[in-house]
C-alpha cells in the first residue's frame, strides 16, 4: 500500500478534505508539506463564535479580530483566498481595540478601511467586519445568526451600495443567510432589496419581512437582481407582504416558505402571491404550522398548470383539502405532470394515514398521472409510521420510483 506522502498532491488534498477539523488541525503539525495542504482546508469555512484568549497572553480577543490578525500575518495572507464560507455566530458587542494588533497590521487595516471612507476609530465591529470582507476575494457563502452582527452587516452593505464600494467578499458572494435564533426577527423590505443588489447573489435566506414597513421600494429596486433561491425560514407575515416581493422581475427557480402563524394566511391571496412564479419555479417548499383549519382546495390549489415545477415539498393536508378520501381531489389531479420529486413533510398537526392510499394510487397510475416522478421522500411523524413507510416503499419499487426518508433540501 502506498504511503500518504507518496501520493499525488491532488489525491492528498481530496483525502484530507474528508477529515474533521480536529484531524485537519492535527495534520498541520505532521510536517511542513501537510501544513501547507491542511491549513487552507481549515480556513474554507471559518466559524466566528465567542471571544477567545490570545496566544501567549492572558487577554481575550474577539473571534473576528483573531481571524483578521491571522489573515494579515506575513506569510499567511494566502489563507484568505481559500475562504469560501464565513459564519458569524458571535454576538459580541465590542471589537478588538487597536492595541491588539501589531503596528504593521494596524497600518494595513487603516489602508483597507480608507478605501471605504472609514477614517474614524477602527475598533468598531462595523469597521473590522468591512476590512475582513475585503480580504476574502473568493467568499461565496455568508451566514449571520447574531442580531448585532446582522445590524452591522446591513449598515455596511447600505453604505457600500450608496458609494459603489463593495468589499471583495461581497462582490463574489453567491449566498447570504441571515437566519437568526429569534423566530420573531424581521427585516425591512429595504434591507431585503439591499441583499438583492449584491452583484453575484443567487440565494437569500431571511426569517421574515416586516409588514408594517411595506414594500413599494421593492418593485423599483429589485428588477435587476439575479436571485434564484429565496427562503423565508420563519415567515410570520400575510400574503399581502409576500406579493410585492414575488411580483418583481426576479427569476426565482426555488422558493421556500415555512413557519406561517395561524390567522396570517388566506388561501386565495397566498396562491395569488405565488402566481408570478408559475413560469419559472422548479422547486417549491411549503411548511405550514399552527394551521389546523387550513385547506388548499382543488381546483384553487391545483398545481397542474405549473409547467416548470419539478420538486414539491409540503404536508399533504393542504394539498388534499380536509384529508378525507371522500370528497377530496385525487393527488394526481393536483400535482403537475412535470413533477420529478415529491416529499411529505413531517408535521405534528396532520396525519398522513389516509393520504397514503392516494399516494399508492398515484404510483400505480404513474404513466398517466406523474410520468416523470423519480423520487418520493417521506418524513413521517410518530405513530404507526413503519407500516405506512413499508406500504409506500413497496408501491415505489413497483413503479420504479426511488423511495427515501430525508428532510427537504435545495
Amino acid at each position: 500500500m502506498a504511503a500518504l506522502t507518496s501520493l499525488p498532491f491532488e489525491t492528498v488534498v481530496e483525502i484530507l478534505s474528508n477529515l474533521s477539523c480536529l484531524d485537519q488541525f492535527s495534520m498541520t503539525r505532521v510536517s511542513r508539506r501537510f501544513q501547507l495542504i491542511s491549513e487552507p482546508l481549515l480556513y474554507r469555512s471559518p466559524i466566528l463564535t465567542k471571544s477567545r484568549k490570545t496566544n501567549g497572553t492572558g487577554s481575550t480577543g474577539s473571534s473576528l479580530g483573531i481571524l483578521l490578525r491571522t489573515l494579515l500575518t506575513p506569510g499567511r495572507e494566502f489563507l484568505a483566498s481559500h475562504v469560501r464560507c464565513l459564519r458569524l455566530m458571535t454576538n459580541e458587542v465590542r471589537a478588538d481595540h487597536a492595541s491588539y494588533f501589531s503596528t504593521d497590521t494596524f497600518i494595513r487595516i487603516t489602508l483597507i478601511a480608507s478605501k471605504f471612507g472609514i477614517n474614524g476609530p477602527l475598533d468598531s465591529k462595523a469597521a473590522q467586519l468591512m476590512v475582513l470582507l475585503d480580504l476574502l476575494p473568493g467568499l461565496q457563502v455568508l451566514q449571520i445568526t447574531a442580531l448585532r452582527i446582522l445590524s452591522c452587516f446591513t449598515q455596511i452593505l447600505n453604505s457600500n451600495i450608496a458609494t459603489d464600494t463593495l468589499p471583495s467578499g461581497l462582490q463574489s458572494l453567491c449566498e447570504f443567510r441571515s437566519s437568526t435564533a429569534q423566530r420573531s426577527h424581521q427585516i425591512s423590505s429595504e434591507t431585503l432589496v439591499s441583499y438583492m443588489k449584491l452583484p453575484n447573489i443567487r440565494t437569500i435566506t431571511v426569517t421574515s419581512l416586516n409588514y408594517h414597513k411595506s414594500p413599494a421600494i421593492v418593485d423599483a429596486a429589485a428588477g435587476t437582481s439575479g436571485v434564484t433561491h429565496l427562503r423565508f425560514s420563519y415567515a410570520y407575515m400575510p400574503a399581502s407582504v409576500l406579493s410585492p416581493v414575488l411580483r418583481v422581475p426576479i427569476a426565482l427557480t426555488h422558493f421556500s416558505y415555512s413557519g406561517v402563524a395561524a390567522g396570517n394566511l388566506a388561501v386565495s391571496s397566498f396562491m395569488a402571491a405565488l402566481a408570478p412564479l408559475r413560469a419559472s419555479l422548479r422547486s417549491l417548499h411549503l411548511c405550514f404550522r399552527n394551521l389546523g383549519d387550513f385547506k388548499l382546495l382543488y381546483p384553487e390549489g391545483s398545481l397542474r398548470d405549473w409547467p416548470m415545477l419539478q420538486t414539491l415539498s409540503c404536508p399533504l393536508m393542504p394539498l388534499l383539502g380536509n384529508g378525507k378520501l371522500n370528497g377530496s381531489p385525487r393527488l394526481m389531479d393536483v400535482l403537475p405532470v412535470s413533477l420529478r420529486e415529491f416529499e411529505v413533510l413531517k408535521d405534528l398537526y396532520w396525519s398522513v394515514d389516509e393520504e397514503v392510499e392516494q399516494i399508492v394510487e398515484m404510483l400505480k397510475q404513474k404513466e398517466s398521472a406523474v410520468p416523470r416522478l423519480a423520487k418520493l421522500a417521506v418524513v413521517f411523524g410518530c405513530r404507526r409510521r413503519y407500516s405506512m413507510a413499508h406500504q409506500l416503499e413497496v408501491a415505489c419499487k413497483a413503479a420504479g420510483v426511488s423511495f427515501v426518508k430525508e428532510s427537504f433540501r435545495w
Side-chain angles (χ1 to χ4, degrees), residues 130-179:
M130 172 84 79
V131 173
L132 176 61
L133 290 173
D134 196 54
L135 294 174
L136 310 177
L139 187 64
Q140 296 177 358
V141 179
L142 177 60
Q143 179 179 351
I144 301 177
T145 60
L147 290 180
R148 290 191 182 99
I149 297 292
L150 182 59
S151 175
C152 238
F153 171 78
T154 304
Q155 173 190 346
I156 289 172
L157 182 58
N158 290 331
S159 174
N160 293 154
I161 290 174
T163 58
D164 197 23
T165 54
L166 282 175
S168 298
L170 295 186
Q171 293 181 33
S172 61
L173 195 68
C174 299
E175 179 175 353
F176 177 66
R177 309 171 194 157
S178 71
S179 52

Side-chain angles (χ1 to χ4, degrees), residues 6-77:
S6 65
L7 295 175
F9 178 83
E10 294 78 7
T11 305
V12 176
V13 170
E14 182 66 27
I15 293 173
L16 297 188
S17 64
N18 291 303
L19 298 180
S20 66
C21 290
L22 286 176
D23 290 335
Q24 289 173 352
F25 178 73
S26 298
M27 292 301 293
T28 64
R29 303 191 171 195
V30 172
S31 66
R32 176 63 176 168
R33 179 173 184 253
F34 284 118
Q35 180 185 7
L36 292 175
I37 296 174
S38 298
E39 268 196 333
L41 298 176
L42 280 171
Y43 281 84
R44 276 185 180 177
S45 302
I47 302 174
L48 305 187
T49 53
K50 57 185 179 180
S51 299
R52 300 182 183 279
K53 289 190 175 182
T54 56
N55 292 332
T57 71
S59 60
T60 60
S62 74
S63 52
L64 189 154
I66 293 172
L67 179 61
L68 196 56
R69 289 196 296 275
T70 301
L71 299 182
L72 289 172
T73 300
R76 307 194 77 189
E77 299 97 329

Side-chain angles (χ1 to χ4, degrees), residues 213-389:
K213 295 181 179 177
S214 226
I217 189 172
V218 177
D219 287 321
T224 59
S225 174
V227 174
T228 57
H229 294 55
L230 180 60
R231 180 174 187 176
F232 293 99
S233 55
Y234 295 108
Y236 289 86
M237 61 186 184
S240 59
V241 178
L242 182 64
S243 297
V245 177
L246 301 182
R247 193 169 62 242
V248 299
I250 49 180
L252 282 182
T253 58
H254 294 64
F255 180 67
S256 174
Y257 190 85
S258 60
V260 184
N264 273 357
L265 197 62
V267 177
S268 57
S269 58
F270 182 74
M271 293 306 293
L274 293 183
L277 305 182
R278 225 170 253 171
S280 63
L281 204 67
R282 295 204 301 266
S283 177
L284 176 61
H285 169 75
L286 302 174
C287 182
F288 303 113
R289 298 175 185 173
N290 301 326
L291 287 169
D293 59 347
F294 180 72
K295 299 178 180 66
L296 192 57
L297 297 174
Y298 179 85
E300 180 184 41
S302 175
L303 298 172
R304 295 283 283 180
D305 56 348
W306 289 56
M308 301 299 293
L309 194 63
Q310 295 183 357
T311 302
L312 175 65
S313 172
C314 78
L316 275 178
M317 286 292 283
L319 270 179
L320 300 178
N322 60 13
K324 304 295 182 182
L325 289 176
N326 183 19
S328 290
R330 297 183 308 164
L331 195 60
M332 60 211 58
D333 292 330
V334 179
L335 301 181
V337 294
S338 60
L339 195 68
R340 298 193 53 152
E341 298 181 16
F342 176 63
E343 176 173 306
V344 183
L345 292 178
K346 172 183 176 181
D347 197 308
L348 297 179
Y349 295 93
W350 286 300
S351 169
V352 296
D353 296 38
E354 295 165 327
E355 290 75 26
V356 167
E357 295 182 30
Q358 293 207 29
I359 299 178
V360 171
E361 181 186 353
M362 178 190 71
L363 292 169
K364 289 179 179 178
Q365 301 184 28
K366 181 184 173 188
E367 292 304 317
S368 59
V370 191
R372 300 184 189 177
L373 188 65
K375 182 173 78 171
L376 175 66
V378 180
V379 183
F380 284 120
C382 41
R383 299 170 302 169
R384 298 194 295 118
R385 299 316 187 203
Y386 177 80
S387 60
M388 289 187 293

Side-chain angles (χ1 to χ4, degrees), residues 65 68-70 72-74 97-110:
L68 196 56
R69 289 196 296 275
T70 301
L72 289 172
T73 300
H97 189 268
S99 60
Y100 279 74
F101 300 96
S102 67
T103 303
D104 290 342
T105 299
F106 189 72
I107 290 174
R108 292 193 62 185
I109 292 175
T110 304

